């Protein structure tokens, strides 16, 4: 038991049935219980039954499992340490197949510390033909809450997308990245993600912003994050879901009193980007437009320095940033009397590969 004394477990699994025909059926059962003088209220237990149809499109016809204080690492050392309690049930429902998952984890923690960063999950999954539907997801993780729904259907047709047909909507509230991975700075973030298949491509929209209140000593106070907003369309190649063309319709990052906007087309196979970026910060603006690729490229850069003193003050404010703030502070310490005044304009062009 995590954080407690060692417990000896007795596990029993049975499978019986016939495999000889296309209508083969197997009845499976499994149980886990503690042996010795263990307090029943603290003992790990598992009781599961399932009817399996090996040659059916959905091989699990029915399933019913209940568990209490189950540690996955006790059965597989590489698995996270858990204390799972709850139930999993699956059964046919009309022409569909429906599974319900209700689990709580009393030993949640960051994934890099061999823990599962999940406190509780309620989910409902349905299968109707080739289509899978996540009709409900409600999870407490990372100190916050994740809710959503979606559906997926395998690719079909003469020229199918390797991603298949899918759509989904997810919302997150007050997620603390440090509770997901301990080396990440603490914060409280809200976010949303929507995605849907359109003509063998995926339309994506994602947004992250700070929650209304932040944990004491959190990183966002120094980072001054306002928003991260991305909208675009991913068109994968016919052979790989991870290679293709990203049409970046809108990207905005508001951080440290500066705003970066961008749009363009990124081709991962050709290793090229064609688009533009605009940066605004106190006392200056910059705009880049062009095409960058391995063997060729061209572009234009316009830089407007309206007030050098405001820019220098902004640079000094970056000393509070996580990660890079200490380096900026060290550089400024070498120039204790640094002053800047005036304005300037720069227009430049370039041509050539990267």
């Amino acid at each position: 038991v995590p954080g407690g004394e060692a417990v000896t477990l007795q596990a029993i699994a049975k499978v019986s049935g016939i495999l000889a025909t296309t209508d083969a059926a197997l009845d499976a059962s499994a149980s886990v219980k503690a042996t010795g003088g263990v307090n029943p209220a603290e003992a790990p237990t598992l009781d599961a039954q399932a009817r399996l149809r090996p040659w059916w499109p959905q091989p699990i016809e029915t399933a019913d499992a209940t568990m209490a204080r189950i540690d996955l690492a006790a059965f597989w050392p590489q698995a996270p340490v858990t204390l799972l309690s709850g139930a999993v049930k699956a059964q046919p429902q009309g022409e569909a197949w429906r599974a319900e998952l209700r689990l709580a984890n009393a030993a949640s923690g960051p994934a890099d510390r061999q823990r599962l960063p999940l406190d509780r999950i309620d989910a409902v999954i349905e299968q109707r033909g080739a289509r899978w539907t996540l009709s409900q997801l409600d999870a407490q993780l990372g100190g916050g809450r994740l809710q959503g729904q979606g559906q997926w259907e395998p690719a079909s047709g003469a020229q199918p997308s390797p991603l298949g047909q899918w759509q989904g909507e997810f919302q997150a509230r007050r997620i603390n990245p440090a509770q997901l991975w301990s080396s990440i700075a603490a914060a409280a973030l809200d976010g949303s993600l929507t995605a849907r298949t359109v003509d063998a491509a995926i339309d994506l929209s994602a947004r992250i912003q700070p929650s209304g209140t932040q944990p004491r000593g959190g990183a966002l106070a120094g980072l001054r994050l306002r928003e991260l907003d991305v909208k675009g369309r991913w068109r994968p190649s016919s052979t790989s879901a991870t290679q293709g063309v990203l049409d970046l319709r809108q990207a905005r990052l508001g951080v440290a009193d500066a705003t970066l906007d961008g749009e363009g087309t990124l081709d991962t196979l050709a290793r090229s980007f064609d688009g533009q970026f605009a940066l605004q910060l106190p006392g200056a603006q910059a705009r880049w437009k062009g095409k960058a690729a391995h063997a060729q490229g061209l572009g234009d850069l316009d830089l407007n320095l309206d007030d050098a003193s405001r820019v220098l003050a902004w640079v000094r404010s970056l000393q509070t940033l996580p990660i890079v703030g200490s380096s900026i502070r060290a550089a400024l310490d070498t120039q204790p009397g640094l002053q800047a005044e005036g304005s300037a304009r720069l227009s430049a062009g370039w041509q050539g590969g990267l």
Side-chain angles (χ1 to χ4, degrees):
V1 178
E5 298 181 356
V7 174
T8 301
L9 299 178
Q10 182 184 63
I12 300 174
K14 297 179 181 179
V15 178
S16 61
I18 300 175
L19 277 174
T21 67
T22 57
D23 199 34
L26 298 175
D27 292 313
S29 65
S31 65
V32 173
K33 63 181 181 179
T35 60
V38 181
N39 185 344
E42 299 179 355
T45 60
L46 170 67
D47 185 14
Q49 298 85 35
R51 185 166 181 81
L52 307 178
R53 298 284 191 170
W55 317 130
W56 285 16
Q58 173 48 260
I60 303 176
E61 182 179 5
T62 63
D64 190 346
T66 58
M67 65 191 74
R69 300 176 62 82
I70 290 296
D71 179 12
L72 296 179
F75 303 93
W76 182 28
Q78 288 73 33
V81 175
T82 62
L83 278 177
L84 295 174
S85 301
V88 179
K89 295 188 177 184
Q91 61 186 7
Q93 190 175 70
E95 297 181 354
W97 178 86
R98 177 184 175 95
E100 298 183 4
L101 176 69
R102 304 280 187 268
L103 291 177
N105 178 24
S108 64
D112 60 318
R113 296 184 177 177
Q114 203 183 353
R115 296 279 177 158
L116 186 66
L118 175 71
D119 296 301
R120 179 180 296 273
I121 183 171
D122 293 341
V124 177
I125 302 173
E126 297 178 354
Q127 181 194 20
R128 188 179 298 270
R131 176 176 295 179
W132 289 82
T133 300
L134 177 64
S135 55
Q136 175 189 331
L137 172 65
D138 190 349
Q140 297 178 14
L141 75 163
R145 189 175 188 181
L146 175 66
Q147 295 176 295
Q149 57 186 9
Q151 64 181 30
W152 176 78
E153 190 170 350
S156 61
Q159 293 181 337
S161 164
L163 294 174
Q165 302 293 316
W166 63 290
Q167 64 181 23
E169 298 180 0
F170 299 90
Q171 298 82 38
R173 297 288 181 270
R174 295 196 58 79
I175 300 295
N176 186 348
Q179 294 189 26
L180 304 178
W181 197 270
S182 64
S183 60
I184 301 177
L189 299 173
D190 297 341
S192 63
L193 171 66
T194 61
R196 61 176 301 173
T197 305
V198 179
D199 297 330
I202 299 292
D203 277 352
L204 301 168
S205 178
R207 180 179 176 85
I208 298 176
Q209 62 187 27
S211 303
T213 58
Q214 294 296 312
R216 182 174 298 180
L220 293 188
L223 187 60
R224 306 193 295 281
L225 174 68
R226 299 193 309 277
E227 63 175 331
L228 172 61
D229 196 357
V230 178
K231 294 180 175 66
R233 172 172 290 187
W234 172 249
R235 188 177 298 276
S237 70
S238 59
T239 58
S240 174
T242 60
Q243 296 290 335
V245 176
L246 173 63
D247 180 12
L248 190 61
R249 298 171 179 174
Q250 174 186 325
R252 166 166 287 195
L253 173 62
V255 62
D257 301 323
T259 301
L260 177 65
D261 290 289
E263 60 182 38
T265 301
L266 174 66
D267 188 332
T268 63
L269 290 172
R271 297 183 181 180
S272 67
F273 176 79
D274 189 352
Q276 60 183 357
F277 289 100
L279 174 65
Q280 292 186 338
L281 53 89
Q285 305 89 39
R287 180 177 295 274
W288 177 89
K289 182 178 181 179
K291 180 176 181 178
H294 175 69
Q296 62 180 355
L298 57 89
D300 297 303
L301 173 66
D302 293 317
L303 175 62
N304 295 326
L305 181 64
D306 299 323
D307 188 339
S309 63
R310 290 185 63 198
V311 174
L312 180 57
W314 175 76
V315 172
R316 287 182 170 136
S317 74
L318 302 182
Q319 298 177 78
T320 61
L321 290 179
I323 302 176
V324 300
S326 58
S327 299
I328 295 174
R329 186 181 309 113
L332 290 173
D333 288 344
T334 64
Q335 303 288 334
L338 181 62
Q339 298 291 329
E341 295 181 357
S343 60
R345 300 289 186 270
L346 171 65
S347 295
W350 64 274
Q351 184 173 358
L354 296 177

